[in-house]
Amino acid sequence: MNEPPVIHVPPTAEANSLKRAAKAGARFAALVLVSPVLVSYWLNAALLGRGRALESRSQLLSLWPGLTGQYLRRAFLQRVLTRCHPSATVEFGTFFSQPGAVLDENVYIGPRCGLGLVHLERDVLLAANVQIPSGGKTHYFDDPGRPIREQGGERKMVTVGVGAWIGTGAIVLADVGAGTVVAAGSVVTKPLPANVIAAGVPAKVIRNRFEPTAAPEANDA
């Protein structure tokens, strides 16, 4: 028996208005709930520096699960990072260490990521456990007579381009081009161009993302 066709009815203007109002209310409630954390952040930033204050507070807020946690983290990060777009999503267990980080429109950051000085451009997707510290030279280690912790280092902004996708467990130490896919478990040590697929340790370009793949050969009868 034929099933009746499914008719999709677009939401009405009233429904859209109610949805926007509900989101606005949730954002306001999140700001109220997170305000004590913001106050403690500003106080500690004055005493210890913004980086240390950010790391401890973002670790605290990373422990709140679900949609509520997403709203709380967004409310906090919008006021302490260089930029965090209202559409950015930061999942459970993710923390930030550098207030210079930038999250653009529709960025998605999966669970348990660690982010330093990073610019995630529009529509970037990070899977779980992705690590993006502030470049590959955060610690110098050339002097054999001194402990590494005493040798200093440098922080560099790492940019992940528009629409890139970073797979689970990848470590990104250099820029990733727009639309590029980095395979799970890869370590990016040198800049990657746009619209490629890269994998490995260190990550190397496998092919162009839009390169046609060969059709499978038919089995002999």
Side-chain angles (χ1 to χ4, degrees):
M1 185 175 66
N2 294 331
E3 295 183 359
V6 177
I7 301 175
H8 296 282
V9 179
T12 64
E14 183 180 359
N16 286 331
S17 179
L18 289 173
K19 186 176 180 180
R20 286 193 297 269
K23 287 185 175 181
R27 287 193 294 267
F28 178 76
L31 178 57
V32 171
L33 289 172
V34 86
S35 58
V37 182
L38 283 167
V39 171
S40 68
Y41 164 79
W42 288 320
L43 290 174
N44 276 264
L47 295 173
L48 304 175
R50 294 177 62 201
R52 292 181 65 181
L54 170 62
E55 188 166 4
S56 62
R57 272 66 188 175
S58 68
Q59 287 175 354
L60 173 65
L61 291 172
S62 75
L63 301 177
W64 204 297
L67 187 61
T68 301
Q70 293 177 12
Y71 271 90
L72 291 175
R73 285 184 286 274
R74 187 184 298 119
F76 175 75
L77 294 172
Q78 281 185 281
R79 287 155 182 86
V80 300
L81 297 184
T82 294
R83 183 166 69 253
C84 175
H85 194 271
S87 62
T89 298
V90 179
E91 293 286 8
F92 174 85
T94 289
F95 69 91
F96 292 77
S97 63
Q98 298 299 318
V102 176
L103 310 181
D104 288 339
E105 295 92 336
N106 301 315
V107 161
Y108 174 82
I109 302 171
R112 300 177 300 281
C113 294
L115 302 177
L117 195 58
V118 61
H119 182 182
L120 303 181
E121 296 186 344
R122 174 173 49 84
D123 296 321
V124 163
L125 303 175
L126 303 187
N129 296 306
V130 171
Q131 305 296 314
I132 309 180
S134 308
K137 296 182 178 180
T138 54
H139 294 284
Y140 296 141
F141 49 84
D142 300 321
D143 186 349
R146 297 172 60 198
I148 292 175
R149 64 181 175 81
E150 296 179 356
Q151 295 189 41
E154 62 181 89
R155 295 187 179 94
K156 177 185 176 183
M157 177 72 79
V158 175
T159 299
V160 181
V162 173
W165 175 23
I166 312 299
T168 301
I171 300 173
V172 180
L173 306 175
D175 294 347
V176 175
T180 283
V181 176
V182 176
S186 299
V187 179
V188 178
T189 58
K190 295 181 179 179
L192 295 174
N195 295 317
V196 300
I197 298 174
V201 181
K204 295 182 179 179
V205 175
I206 298 174
R207 64 177 177 87
N208 189 290
R209 179 179 161 195
F210 302 110
E211 178 181 307
T213 56
E217 296 182 0
N219 294 328
D220 293 334

